[in-house]
Amino acid sequence: MTSTKLLVGAYRKSATKSFSTSSASLGRHYKLLIVGSGSGGCATASKFSKKLGAGHVGIIEPKDDHYYQPWFTLVGGGIKKVEDSGKKMSEVIPKKADWLKTTAEAFDPKNCTVTTATGEEIKYDFLVMACGLQLNYNLIKGLPEGFDKDPMLCSNYDYEYVQKTWPAIQKFKGGNAIFTMPNTPVKCAGAPQKIMYLAEEAWQKSGVRDKSTVMYNTSLSVLFGVKKYAAGLHKVVDSRDIKINYQRNLIEVNTDKREAIFQKLDSPGETQTYKYDFMHITPPMSTPDPVRKSCLVDEAGYVDVDQGTLQHKKYPNIFAIGDCFNAPTSKTAAAAASQSGYLEKNLTAVMSGKPAYAKYDGYTSCPLITGREKCIMAEFNYDSLPLETFPIDQGKERRSMYHVKKDIIPIIYWNMMLKGYWNGPAAYRKLMHLGTDGPEKLKDSY
Ligand SMILES: Cc1cc2nc3c(=O)[nH]c(=O)nc-3n(C[C@H](O)[C@H](O)[C@H](O)COP(=O)(O)OP(=O)(O)OC[C@H]3O[C@@H](n4cnc5c(N)ncnc54)[C@H](O)[C@@H]3O)c2cc1C
């Protein structure tokens, strides 16, 4: 049989299996199509394939493996192994959802179709965008090839480069250690700092700290966006003599001279060159190119949704979850978990002809590891106000919160969130604050 016949046969089989309003179409048609099977997409597929049944949910995802990216901080810090950070995509995509192993390349929301890299036009009744962020190392001159040339360049954001981080930390014999933060939104805005604290602690133990300058070169003008946690982090950097250079955006790496060139965002047109002996790079990020170039995004290139309902502002049968949309919360898996509960309510309502009603409050969490056995557990909302789960002051470094991050959250992620059973800790937060004024009442004092 020719490959074309095989393909058409597969389409026919799939079209009969899937929900279809167009019997003339040979292409696949899903009640719900999801773009991306990362944290948000997989959780959404699990929730809705249970509700809608087999054949009604399609999920477009090109990768073979699904990584629990928060693990990468622990890999870079020499605490966990990279092999344990992922599972086969086939193991995490729910059995009742159809996995379309390709990339979404073009979006036609007026005709409710997505065209894939294989040229197939897939129809949908409802679409959920869950494509995360793309890593744009190539926007920094000298990268990504610099990673192959210099063993002292590393980056926890990528599966390959994170494997360079711990060896580089161990090789460092003193000099300038630079940790960067780019001038775009990033996933887990705390991660560029977490690895700095782990590295600095390792250098104290190995005896090279006295011979080194540790610098955090950030494009931002604050250390962290939430005052309470920024205060905790300032105590850490002050006590450990870490230098913060604000408004410095990395634009070039010269591996031959071991120089890093930064744009001075506070003096337009000017740059500053730093010698480095170790550098951890957080790359600029954007939505993936096909999405960034589509009509689904705002001027900044993020999927344009209502920040409460997560429903697209122009196309009511489209929603978004996770890192790819434009609501002003910090982009984390914890945020995606919380969003998955609101998305479930709103999409279910819209599917049955009712308006979206549930309003996401921007909940996000960033476990700011400051060393082995130390963590400031930041949890906050759209207004940058703390929304803490535990009835203790989470703005302080705590061993208990380190173990929540290292040992408990990964179990919740694999066994509950990806299976559609975890919508974040809101219910536990209420329980833990029973009989007290609760974190909401404390907001004014932060
Ligand atoms: C180093 C590091 C540390 C972190 N630490 C934490 C932490 O401590 N706590 C926390 O909560 N979060 C943390 N995060 C952030 C967290 O991993 C992300 O916020 C989360 O994974 C976002 O989920 P998502 O579904 O939006 O995107 P992802 O999980 O990134 O998934 C997006 C998926 O979409 C697919 N895709 C992309 N383009 C297309 C396309 N065109 N067609 C089809 N599929 C496509 C991708 O292949 C990918 O599988 C960390 C991340 C990193 C890198």
Side-chain angles (χ1 to χ4, degrees), residues 294-305:
S294 77
C295 60
L296 301 180
V297 299
D298 66 5
E299 280 175 6
Y302 298 91
V303 180
D304 195 12
V305 298

Side-chain angles (χ1 to χ4, degrees), residues 66-84:
H66 175 116
Y67 295 109
Y68 175 57
Q69 298 166 57
W71 199 262
F72 290 170
T73 295
L74 302 171
V75 174
I79 298 163
K80 296 279 190 187
K81 290 187 186 143
V82 75
E83 312 74 277
D84 298 331

